[in-house]
Coordinates of all heavy atoms in Angstrom, one line a residue:
M1 N 11.3 -11.9 -3.2 CA 10.3 -11.3 -4.1 C 10.8 -11.3 -5.5 O 12.0 -11.1 -5.7 CB 9.9 -9.9 -3.6 CG 9.1 -10.0 -2.4 SD 8.3 -8.4 -1.8 CE 8.7 -7.3 -3.0
D2 N 9.9 -11.4 -6.4 CA 10.2 -11.3 -7.8 C 10.5 -9.9 -8.3 O 9.5 -9.1 -8.4 CB 9.1 -12.0 -8.6 CG 9.3 -12.0 -10.1 OD1 10.4 -11.6 -10.6 OD2 8.4 -12.5 -10.8
A3 N 11.7 -9.6 -8.6 CA 12.0 -8.2 -9.0 C 11.5 -7.9 -10.4 O 11.5 -6.7 -10.8 CB 13.5 -8.0 -8.9
S4 N 11.0 -8.9 -11.2 CA 10.5 -8.6 -12.5 C 9.0 -8.2 -12.5 O 8.5 -8.1 -13.6 CB 10.8 -9.8 -13.4 OG 9.9 -10.9 -12.9
R5 N 8.4 -8.0 -11.3 CA 7.0 -7.6 -11.4 C 6.8 -6.3 -12.1 O 7.7 -5.5 -12.2 CB 6.5 -7.4 -9.9 CG 6.6 -8.7 -9.0 CD 5.6 -9.7 -9.5 NE 4.3 -9.2 -9.2 CZ 3.3 -10.0 -8.8 NH1 3.5 -11.3 -8.7 NH2 2.1 -9.6 -8.5
G6 N 5.7 -6.1 -12.7 CA 5.4 -4.9 -13.5 C 5.5 -3.6 -12.7 O 5.4 -3.6 -11.5
R7 N 5.6 -2.5 -13.4 CA 5.7 -1.2 -12.9 C 4.5 -0.8 -12.0 O 4.6 -0.1 -11.0 CB 5.9 -0.2 -14.0 CG 6.0 1.3 -13.5 CD 6.5 2.1 -14.7 NE 5.8 3.4 -14.9 CZ 5.9 4.3 -14.0 NH1 6.6 4.3 -13.0 NH2 5.2 5.5 -14.2
G8 N 3.3 -1.3 -12.3 CA 2.1 -0.9 -11.6 C 1.8 -1.7 -10.4 O 0.9 -1.4 -9.7
N9 N 2.7 -2.6 -10.1 CA 2.5 -3.4 -8.9 C 3.0 -2.7 -7.7 O 3.9 -1.9 -7.7 CB 3.2 -4.8 -9.0 CG 2.6 -5.6 -10.1 OD1 1.4 -5.8 -10.2 ND2 3.4 -6.2 -10.9
I10 N 2.4 -3.1 -6.5 CA 2.8 -2.5 -5.3 C 3.2 -3.6 -4.3 O 2.6 -4.6 -4.0 CB 1.6 -1.7 -4.7 CG1 1.1 -0.6 -5.5 CG2 1.9 -1.2 -3.2 CD1 -0.2 0.0 -5.1
A11 N 4.5 -3.4 -3.9 CA 5.2 -4.4 -3.0 C 4.7 -4.1 -1.5 O 4.5 -3.0 -1.2 CB 6.7 -4.3 -3.1
A12 N 4.7 -5.2 -0.7 CA 4.5 -5.1 0.6 C 5.7 -5.5 1.4 O 6.4 -6.5 1.1 CB 3.3 -6.0 1.1
F13 N 6.1 -4.7 2.4 CA 7.3 -5.0 3.2 C 7.0 -5.2 4.6 O 6.0 -4.5 5.1 CB 8.3 -3.9 3.0 CG 9.0 -3.8 1.7 CD1 8.3 -3.2 0.6 CD2 10.2 -4.4 1.5 CE1 8.8 -3.2 -0.6 CE2 10.8 -4.3 0.2 CZ 10.1 -3.7 -0.8
S14 N 7.7 -6.0 5.4 CA 7.5 -6.2 6.8 C 8.9 -6.2 7.4 O 9.8 -7.0 7.0 CB 6.8 -7.4 7.1 OG 6.7 -7.6 8.5
N15 N 9.2 -5.2 8.3 CA 10.5 -5.1 8.9 C 11.6 -5.0 7.9 O 12.7 -5.6 8.0 CB 10.8 -6.2 9.9 CG 9.9 -6.2 11.1 OD1 9.6 -5.2 11.5 ND2 9.4 -7.4 11.4
G16 N 11.3 -4.2 6.8 CA 12.4 -4.0 5.7 C 12.6 -5.2 4.7 O 13.4 -5.1 3.9
R17 N 11.7 -6.2 4.9 CA 11.9 -7.4 4.0 C 10.7 -7.5 3.1 O 9.5 -7.4 3.6 CB 12.0 -8.6 4.8 CG 12.4 -9.8 4.0 CD 12.6 -11.1 4.9 NE 11.2 -11.6 5.2 CZ 10.9 -12.5 6.0 NH1 11.9 -13.1 6.6 NH2 9.7 -12.9 6.2
G18 N 10.8 -7.7 1.8 CA 9.7 -7.8 0.9 C 9.0 -9.1 1.2 O 9.6 -10.1 1.3
V19 N 7.7 -9.0 1.4 CA 6.9 -10.2 1.7 C 5.8 -10.5 0.7 O 5.1 -11.5 0.8 CB 6.2 -10.1 3.1 CG1 7.3 -10.0 4.2 CG2 5.3 -8.8 3.2
G20 N 5.6 -9.7 -0.4 CA 4.6 -9.9 -1.4 C 4.2 -8.7 -2.1 O 4.8 -7.7 -2.0
Y21 N 3.1 -8.9 -2.8 CA 2.5 -7.8 -3.6 C 1.1 -7.7 -3.3 O 0.4 -8.7 -3.1 CB 2.8 -8.0 -5.1 CG 4.2 -8.0 -5.5 CD1 5.0 -9.1 -5.4 CD2 4.8 -6.8 -5.9 CE1 6.4 -9.0 -5.8 CE2 6.1 -6.7 -6.3 CZ 7.0 -7.8 -6.2 OH 8.2 -7.7 -6.6
L22 N 0.5 -6.5 -3.5 CA -0.9 -6.4 -3.4 C -1.6 -7.1 -4.6 O -0.9 -7.1 -5.7 CB -1.3 -4.9 -3.4 CG -0.9 -4.1 -2.2 CD1 -1.4 -2.6 -2.4 CD2 -1.3 -4.6 -0.9
P23 N -2.8 -7.5 -4.5 CA -3.5 -8.1 -5.7 C -3.5 -7.0 -6.8 O -3.6 -5.8 -6.5 CB -4.9 -8.4 -5.2 CG -4.7 -8.5 -3.7 CD -3.6 -7.6 -3.3
E24 N -3.5 -7.4 -8.1 CA -3.4 -6.6 -9.2 C -4.6 -5.6 -9.2 O -4.4 -4.4 -9.6 CB -3.4 -7.4 -10.5 CG -2.1 -8.0 -10.8 CD -2.1 -8.7 -12.1 OE1 -2.7 -8.2 -13.1 OE2 -1.5 -9.8 -12.2
S25 N -5.8 -6.0 -8.9 CA -7.0 -5.1 -8.9 C -6.8 -4.0 -7.8 O -7.1 -2.8 -8.2 CB -8.2 -5.9 -8.6 OG -8.2 -6.5 -7.4
V26 N -6.3 -4.3 -6.7 CA -6.1 -3.3 -5.6 C -4.9 -2.4 -6.1 O -5.0 -1.2 -5.9 CB -5.8 -4.0 -4.3 CG1 -5.4 -3.0 -3.3 CG2 -6.9 -4.8 -3.8
A27 N -3.8 -3.0 -6.6 CA -2.7 -2.1 -6.9 C -3.1 -1.2 -8.1 O -2.6 0.0 -8.0 CB -1.5 -3.0 -7.5
A28 N -3.9 -1.6 -9.0 CA -4.3 -0.7 -10.1 C -5.0 0.5 -9.6 O -4.8 1.6 -10.1 CB -5.2 -1.4 -11.1
E29 N -5.8 0.3 -8.5 CA -6.6 1.4 -8.0 C -5.7 2.3 -7.1 O -5.8 3.6 -7.1 CB -7.7 0.9 -7.1 CG -8.7 1.9 -6.7 CD -10.0 1.2 -6.1 OE1 -10.1 0.0 -6.0 OE2 -10.9 2.0 -5.7
M30 N -4.8 1.7 -6.3 CA -3.9 2.5 -5.4 C -2.7 3.1 -6.0 O -2.2 4.1 -5.4 CB -3.5 1.6 -4.3 CG -4.6 1.1 -3.3 SD -5.2 2.5 -2.4 CE -6.4 1.7 -1.3
H31 N -2.2 2.6 -7.1 CA -1.0 3.0 -7.7 C -1.0 4.6 -7.9 O -0.1 5.3 -7.5 CB -0.6 2.2 -8.9 CG 0.7 2.5 -9.5 ND1 1.0 3.5 -10.4 CD2 1.9 2.0 -9.2 CE1 2.3 3.5 -10.7 NE2 2.9 2.6 -9.9
P32 N -2.0 5.1 -8.7 CA -1.9 6.5 -8.9 C -2.1 7.4 -7.6 O -1.5 8.5 -7.5 CB -3.2 6.8 -9.9 CG -4.0 5.5 -9.8 CD -3.1 4.4 -9.4
L33 N -2.8 6.8 -6.7 CA -2.9 7.6 -5.4 C -1.6 7.6 -4.7 O -1.2 8.7 -4.1 CB -4.0 7.0 -4.5 CG -5.4 6.9 -5.2 CD1 -6.3 6.1 -4.3 CD2 -5.9 8.3 -5.4
L34 N -0.9 6.5 -4.7 CA 0.4 6.5 -4.0 C 1.4 7.4 -4.7 O 2.2 8.0 -4.1 CB 0.9 5.0 -3.9 CG 0.2 4.1 -3.0 CD1 0.8 2.7 -3.1 CD2 0.4 4.6 -1.5
D35 N 1.3 7.4 -6.0 CA 2.1 8.3 -6.8 C 1.9 9.7 -6.4 O 2.9 10.5 -6.2 CB 1.9 8.2 -8.3 CG 2.6 7.1 -9.0 OD1 3.5 6.4 -8.3 OD2 2.3 6.7 -10.1
D36 N 0.7 10.1 -6.2 CA 0.3 11.5 -5.7 C 0.9 11.8 -4.3 O 1.2 13.0 -4.0 CB -1.2 11.7 -5.7 CG -1.8 11.8 -7.1 OD1 -1.0 12.0 -8.0 OD2 -3.0 11.6 -7.2
L37 N 1.0 10.7 -3.5 CA 1.6 10.9 -2.1 C 3.1 10.9 -2.1 O 3.7 11.1 -1.1 CB 1.0 9.8 -1.2 CG -0.5 10.0 -0.8 CD1 -0.9 8.8 0.0 CD2 -0.7 11.3 -0.1
G38 N 3.7 10.6 -3.2 CA 5.2 10.5 -3.3 C 5.7 9.1 -3.4 O 6.9 8.8 -3.3
G39 N 4.8 8.1 -3.6 CA 5.3 6.7 -3.9 C 5.3 5.7 -2.8 O 5.5 4.5 -3.1
A40 N 5.0 6.1 -1.6 CA 5.0 5.0 -0.5 C 4.1 5.4 0.5 O 3.7 6.6 0.7 CB 6.4 4.9 0.0
A41 N 3.6 4.4 1.3 CA 2.7 4.6 2.4 C 3.0 3.5 3.4 O 3.3 2.4 3.0 CB 1.2 4.7 1.9
V42 N 2.8 3.8 4.6 CA 2.9 2.9 5.7 C 1.5 2.5 6.2 O 0.7 3.4 6.6 CB 3.7 3.4 6.8 CG1 3.8 2.4 8.0 CG2 5.2 3.7 6.3
V43 N 1.2 1.2 6.3 CA -0.1 0.8 6.9 C 0.2 -0.2 8.0 O 1.3 -0.8 8.0 CB -1.0 0.2 5.8 CG1 -1.4 1.2 4.8 CG2 -0.4 -1.0 5.2
N44 N -0.7 -0.4 8.8 CA -0.5 -1.3 10.0 C -0.9 -2.8 9.5 O -1.7 -2.9 8.7 CB -1.4 -1.0 11.2 CG -0.9 0.4 11.8 OD1 0.2 0.6 11.9 ND2 -1.9 1.2 12.3
G45 N -0.2 -3.7 10.2 CA -0.4 -5.0 9.9 C -0.1 -5.8 11.1 O 0.5 -5.4 12.0
A46 N -0.6 -7.1 11.2 CA -0.3 -7.9 12.3 C -0.3 -9.3 11.9 O -1.0 -9.8 11.0 CB -1.4 -7.8 13.4
G47 N 0.5 -10.1 12.6 CA 0.5 -11.6 12.3 C -0.8 -12.1 12.6 O -1.5 -11.6 13.5
V48 N -1.2 -13.2 12.1 CA -2.5 -13.9 12.3 C -2.6 -14.3 13.8 O -3.5 -14.2 14.4 CB -2.8 -15.0 11.3 CG1 -4.0 -15.8 11.6 CG2 -2.8 -14.5 9.9
R49 N -1.4 -14.8 14.2 CA -1.3 -15.3 15.7 C 0.1 -15.3 16.1 O 1.0 -15.3 15.2 CB -2.1 -16.6 15.9 CG -1.4 -17.7 15.2 CD -2.1 -19.1 15.6 NE -1.4 -20.1 15.0 CZ -1.8 -20.9 13.9 NH1 -3.0 -20.6 13.5 NH2 -1.1 -21.8 13.4
T50 N 0.4 -15.3 17.3 CA 1.8 -15.3 17.8 C 2.5 -16.4 17.1 O 2.1 -17.6 17.2 CB 1.7 -15.4 19.3 OG1 1.0 -14.3 19.9 CG2 3.2 -15.4 19.9
G51 N 3.7 -16.2 16.7 CA 4.6 -17.2 16.0 C 4.2 -17.5 14.6 O 4.9 -18.2 13.9
S52 N 3.2 -16.9 14.1 CA 2.7 -17.1 12.7 C 3.7 -16.5 11.7 O 4.3 -15.4 12.0 CB 1.3 -16.6 12.4 OG 1.0 -16.7 11.1
I53 N 3.8 -17.0 10.5 CA 4.6 -16.3 9.5 C 3.7 -15.6 8.5 O 4.2 -15.0 7.6 CB 5.5 -17.3 8.8 CG1 4.7 -18.4 8.0 CG2 6.5 -17.9 9.7 CD1 5.5 -19.3 7.1
R54 N 2.4 -15.7 8.7 CA 1.5 -15.0 7.9 C 1.3 -13.5 8.3 O 1.4 -13.2 9.5 CB 0.1 -15.6 7.9 CG 0.2 -17.1 7.3 CD -1.1 -17.8 7.4 NE -2.1 -17.1 6.6 CZ -3.4 -17.5 6.7 NH1 -3.8 -18.4 7.5 NH2 -4.2 -16.9 5.9
L55 N 1.1 -12.6 7.4 CA 0.9 -11.2 7.7 C -0.4 -10.7 7.2 O -0.7 -10.9 6.0 CB 2.1 -10.3 7.1 CG 2.1 -8.8 7.3 CD1 2.3 -8.5 8.7 CD2 3.1 -8.1 6.4
W56 N -1.2 -10.1 8.0 CA -2.5 -9.5 7.6 C -2.3 -8.0 7.5 O -1.8 -7.4 8.4 CB -3.5 -9.9 8.5 CG -4.9 -9.3 8.2 CD1 -5.4 -8.1 8.6 CD2 -5.8 -9.9 7.3 NE1 -6.6 -7.9 8.0 CE2 -6.9 -9.0 7.3 CE3 -5.9 -11.1 6.6 CZ2 -8.1 -9.2 6.5 CZ3 -7.0 -11.4 5.9 CH2 -8.1 -10.4 5.8
V57 N -2.6 -7.4 6.4 CA -2.5 -5.9 6.2 C -3.9 -5.4 5.9 O -4.6 -5.8 5.0 CB -1.5 -5.6 5.0 CG1 -1.5 -4.1 4.8 CG2 -0.2 -6.2 5.3
D58 N -4.3 -4.5 6.7 CA -5.6 -3.8 6.5 C -5.3 -2.5 5.7 O -4.7 -1.6 6.2 CB -6.3 -3.4 7.8 CG -6.9 -4.6 8.5 OD1 -7.4 -5.5 7.8 OD2 -6.8 -4.7 9.7
L59 N -5.7 -2.5 4.4 CA -5.5 -1.3 3.6 C -6.6 -0.4 3.7 O -7.8 -0.8 3.9 CB -5.4 -1.7 2.1 CG -4.3 -2.5 1.7 CD1 -4.4 -2.9 0.2 CD2 -3.0 -1.8 1.9
P60 N -6.3 0.9 3.8 CA -7.4 1.9 3.8 C -8.2 1.8 2.4 O -7.7 1.3 1.5 CB -6.7 3.2 3.9 CG -5.3 3.0 3.4 CD -5.0 1.6 3.6
T61 N -9.4 2.2 2.5 CA -10.3 2.2 1.3 C -9.6 3.2 0.3 O -9.0 4.2 0.7 CB -11.7 2.6 1.5 OG1 -11.8 3.9 2.1 CG2 -12.3 1.6 2.5
S62 N -10.0 3.1 -1.0 CA -9.4 4.0 -1.9 C -10.0 5.4 -1.7 O -9.4 6.4 -2.0 CB -9.7 3.6 -3.4 OG -11.1 3.3 -3.6
S63 N -11.3 5.5 -1.3 CA -11.9 6.8 -1.0 C -11.2 7.5 0.2 O -10.9 8.7 0.1 CB -13.4 6.7 -0.7 OG -13.6 5.9 0.4
A64 N -10.7 6.7 1.2 CA -10.0 7.3 2.3 C -8.6 7.8 1.8 O -8.2 8.9 2.2 CB -9.8 6.3 3.4
V65 N -8.0 7.1 0.9 CA -6.7 7.5 0.4 C -6.9 8.8 -0.5 O -6.1 9.7 -0.5 CB -6.0 6.4 -0.4 CG1 -4.7 6.9 -1.0 CG2 -5.7 5.2 0.5
R66 N -8.0 8.8 -1.3 CA -8.2 10.0 -2.1 C -8.4 11.2 -1.2 O -7.9 12.3 -1.5 CB -9.5 9.8 -2.9 CG -9.3 9.0 -4.2 CD -10.5 9.1 -5.1 NE -10.4 8.1 -6.0 CZ -10.9 6.8 -5.9 NH1 -11.5 6.5 -4.7 NH2 -10.7 5.9 -6.8
R67 N -9.1 11.1 0.0 CA -9.2 12.2 0.9 C -7.9 12.7 1.4 O -7.6 13.9 1.5 CB -10.2 11.9 2.0 CG -11.6 11.8 1.6 CD -12.6 11.8 2.7 NE -12.4 10.6 3.6 CZ -12.9 9.4 3.4 NH1 -13.7 9.2 2.4 NH2 -12.7 8.4 4.2
L68 N -7.0 11.6 1.7 CA -5.7 12.0 2.3 C -4.9 12.7 1.1 O -4.2 13.7 1.5 CB -5.0 10.7 2.6 CG -3.5 10.9 3.1 CD1 -3.4 11.7 4.3 CD2 -2.9 9.5 3.3
V69 N -4.9 12.3 0.0 CA -4.2 12.9 -1.1 C -4.7 14.3 -1.2 O -3.9 15.3 -1.4 CB -4.4 12.1 -2.5 CG1 -3.9 13.0 -3.7 CG2 -3.7 10.8 -2.4
A70 N -6.0 14.5 -1.2 CA -6.5 15.9 -1.3 C -6.1 16.8 -0.1 O -5.7 18.0 -0.4 CB -8.1 15.9 -1.3
T71 N -6.0 16.2 1.0 CA -5.6 17.0 2.2 C -4.1 17.3 2.1 O -3.7 18.5 2.3 CB -5.8 16.2 3.5 OG1 -7.2 16.0 3.6 CG2 -5.3 17.0 4.7
V72 N -3.3 16.4 1.7 CA -1.8 16.6 1.5 C -1.6 17.6 0.4 O -0.8 18.5 0.5 CB -1.1 15.3 1.2 CG1 0.3 15.6 0.8 CG2 -1.1 14.4 2.4
S73 N -2.3 17.5 -0.7 CA -2.2 18.5 -1.8 C -2.5 19.9 -1.4 O -1.8 20.8 -1.8 CB -3.0 18.0 -3.0 OG -2.6 16.8 -3.5
S74 N -3.6 20.0 -0.7 CA -4.0 21.4 -0.3 C -3.0 22.0 0.7 O -2.7 23.1 0.7 CB -5.4 21.4 0.3 OG -5.5 20.7 1.5
S75 N -2.4 21.1 1.6 CA -1.3 21.5 2.5 C -0.1 22.0 1.8 O 0.5 23.0 2.2 CB -1.0 20.4 3.5 OG -2.1 20.1 4.3
R76 N 0.2 21.3 0.7 CA 1.4 21.7 0.0 C 1.2 23.0 -0.7 O 2.1 23.8 -0.8 CB 1.7 20.6 -1.1 CG 2.3 19.4 -0.5 CD 2.6 18.3 -1.6 NE 3.1 17.1 -0.9 CZ 3.0 15.9 -1.5 NH1 2.5 15.8 -2.7 NH2 3.4 14.8 -0.9
V77 N 0.0 23.3 -1.2 CA -0.3 24.5 -1.9 C -0.3 25.7 -0.9 O 0.1 26.8 -1.1 CB -1.7 24.5 -2.7 CG1 -2.1 25.8 -3.2 CG2 -1.5 23.4 -3.8
A78 N -0.9 25.5 0.3 CA -1.0 26.5 1.3 C 0.3 26.8 1.9 O 0.6 27.9 2.4 CB -2.0 26.0 2.4
G79 N 1.2 25.8 2.0 CA 2.5 26.0 2.6 C 3.6 26.6 1.8 O 4.0 27.5 1.5

């Protein structure tokens, strides 16, 4: 992976190995939300088919991540 990518980019990893970056439009929307969560999130992904080197990642919608951020934030205040 290109280590010179911009600060706002979000890297994708599989088994501890960098495999790419989210598209810029998605990264711009998710970056502040991930910052609010502490900077990282784990999502599920699966190879397209057995033996494939391609990785498909289903990202949650930004509204779902906003709800998660709100829940985590309220838990931190209550705790």
